């Protein structure tokens, strides 16, 4: 599949493209450390979100504890200045047990476990690139994007879960769109890496959407996809004072 084949469904799902002003700032030399650090954070956040969804909705208590252990070395590194996680942490010990009575449980677990593995691998890859370029990992707070999307999540179940999954789809799709949009403006090595990420991430937004529809059952999710999509585009286009991987149009004031 060519890059444009991979991108086509992503671009038709999103309601706007990344503004040129964001690309100009993101590809500037002085912004590279912030771009990579925030990208690194996004990969961990993606793994954490997927894990939170499984733990909250789909597994029993012992599996939930097992899952926490899996992420611990990564969280220790990012939040507690622990050692850099090695590849020995990339596995999950035992089989997870689905919570009784959760119809979509095994599908959610299967998709999310695969996604977590991939995101943790990406996290490691971004860290490697930072090391090669002597860019130290430093704490960098989250931007407004994910919080802004979550404001639209309804407060009652199962609608809350449906909406969270739709938010997940938008975050994944936007990441892919930005990887592709950045490629012409960044150096070849980073460009190749972003194309490889696009390949690996292109499926994620569809996985999230599919799960959202499964949770909603017979009720169409089209209107929710539309409402959350509008908010997403607004967060991307509106002026933003902070620069992050998912920030809005840079505001130079
Ligand atoms: Fe990723
Ligand atoms: Fe992803």
């Amino acid at each position: 599949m060519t890059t444009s084949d991979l991108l086509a469904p992503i671009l038709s799902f999103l309601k706007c493209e990344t503004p040129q002003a964001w690309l100009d700032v993101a590809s500037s030399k002085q912004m590279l450390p912030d771009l990579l650090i925030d990208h690194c954070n996004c990969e961990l956040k993606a793994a954490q979100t997927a894990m939170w969804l499984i733990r909250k909705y789909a597994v029993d208590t012992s599996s939930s504890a097992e899952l926490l252990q899996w992420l611990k070395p990564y969280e220790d590194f990012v939040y507690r200045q622990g050692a850099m996680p090695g590849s020995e942490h990339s596995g999950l010990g035992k089989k997870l047990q689905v919570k009784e009575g959760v119809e979509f449980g095994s599908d959610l677990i299967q998709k999310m476990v695969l996604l977590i593995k991939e995101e943790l691998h990406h996290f490691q890859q971004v860290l490697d690139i930072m090391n090669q370029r002597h860019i130290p990992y430093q704490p960098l707070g989250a931007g407004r994007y994910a919080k802004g999307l979550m404001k639209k999540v309804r407060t009652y179940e199962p609608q809350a879960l449906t909406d969270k999954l739709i938010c997940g789809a938008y975050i994944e799709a936007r990441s892919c769109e930005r990887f592709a949009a950045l490629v012409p403006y960044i150096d070849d090595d980073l460009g190749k890496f972003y194309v490889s990420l696009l390949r690996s991430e292109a499926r994620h937004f569809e996985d999230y959407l599919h799960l959202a529809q499964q949770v909603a059952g017979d009720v169409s999710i089209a209107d929710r996809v539309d409402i959350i999509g509008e908010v997403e585009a607004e967060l991307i286009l509106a002026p933003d004072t902070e620069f992050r991987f998912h920030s809005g149009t840079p505001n130079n004031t």
Side-chain angles (χ1 to χ4, degrees):
M1 245 199 213
T2 65
T3 320
S4 43
D5 288 343
L6 287 168
L7 259 182
I10 290 163
L11 294 179
S12 73
F13 176 59
L14 294 171
K15 292 187 187 291
C16 72
E17 289 191 36
T18 288
Q20 185 62 40
W22 185 89
L23 290 170
D24 292 343
V25 172
S27 57
S28 68
K29 211 170 167 215
Q30 69 270 27
M31 236 10 140
L32 187 66
D34 280 14
L35 180 77
L36 292 176
I37 292 171
D38 195 54
H39 178 182
C40 196
N41 288 343
C42 289
E43 298 290 358
L44 181 62
K45 207 75 219 152
Q48 286 174 316
T49 305
M51 183 160 291
W52 180 84
L53 287 169
I54 311 181
R55 291 182 58 237
K56 178 158 169 72
Y57 294 101
V59 294
D60 68 8
T61 326
S62 73
S63 295
S64 181
E66 172 90 3
L67 279 164
L68 276 187
Q69 280 309 311
W70 187 16
L71 271 195
K72 194 171 179 302
Y74 298 90
E75 293 177 333
D76 284 346
F77 173 77
V78 167
Y79 307 122
R80 292 175 279 276
Q81 287 83 48
M84 207 169 129
S87 50
E88 70 274 16
H89 299 297
S90 58
L92 174 67
K94 58 173 198 204
K95 203 171 175 321
L96 299 173
Q97 295 301 318
V98 186
K99 210 192 272 182
E100 255 179 76
V102 184
E103 254 176 74
F104 51 84
S106 58
D107 221 32
L108 185 95
I109 291 173
Q110 195 219 344
K111 287 203 171 79
M112 291 295 116
V113 165
L114 183 62
L115 189 137
I116 294 165
K117 281 183 189 162
E118 289 172 340
E119 306 297 12
L120 292 178
H121 179 58
H122 302 156
F123 174 85
Q124 201 85 52
Q125 285 178 303
V126 184
L127 272 187
D128 288 346
I129 287 186
M130 288 171 57
N131 282 337
Q132 284 160 16
R133 293 166 188 241
H134 309 290
I135 297 172
Y137 180 85
Q138 279 165 355
L140 186 67
R144 69 183 186 186
Y145 180 76
K147 251 181 276 157
L149 283 179
M150 294 307 269
K151 277 188 197 148
K152 279 285 152 189
V153 171
R154 287 167 291 178
T155 52
Y156 41 91
E157 299 291 359
Q159 287 82 350
L161 177 56
T162 303
D163 289 354
K164 282 174 201 162
L165 292 165
I166 296 170
C167 290
Y170 276 106
I171 298 170
E172 293 285 350
R174 181 59 63 188
S175 306
C176 283
E177 188 260 347
R178 289 207 157 166
F179 292 141
L182 278 167
V183 171
Y185 301 98
I186 51 182
D187 63 82
D188 284 359
D189 276 354
L190 195 57
K192 271 186 204 139
F193 175 53
Y194 278 4
V195 170
S196 79
L197 284 185
L198 174 64
R199 290 194 180 282
S200 135
E201 304 263 5
R203 202 197 63 249
H204 291 174
F205 95 91
E206 281 165 339
D207 283 348
Y208 269 116
L209 272 188
H210 184 81
L211 284 167
Q213 187 57 71
Q214 235 178 318
V215 170
D218 295 336
V219 183
S220 165
I221 60 168
D223 62 330
R224 297 306 299 168
V225 170
D226 214 45
I227 290 167
I228 295 170
E230 293 292 345
V231 175
E232 200 275 341
E234 172 68 20
L235 288 162
I236 290 301
L237 297 177
D240 195 341
T241 48
E242 270 180 326
F243 173 79
R244 293 291 185 273
F245 202 89
H246 293 97
S247 56
T249 303
N251 185 346
N252 297 324
T253 53

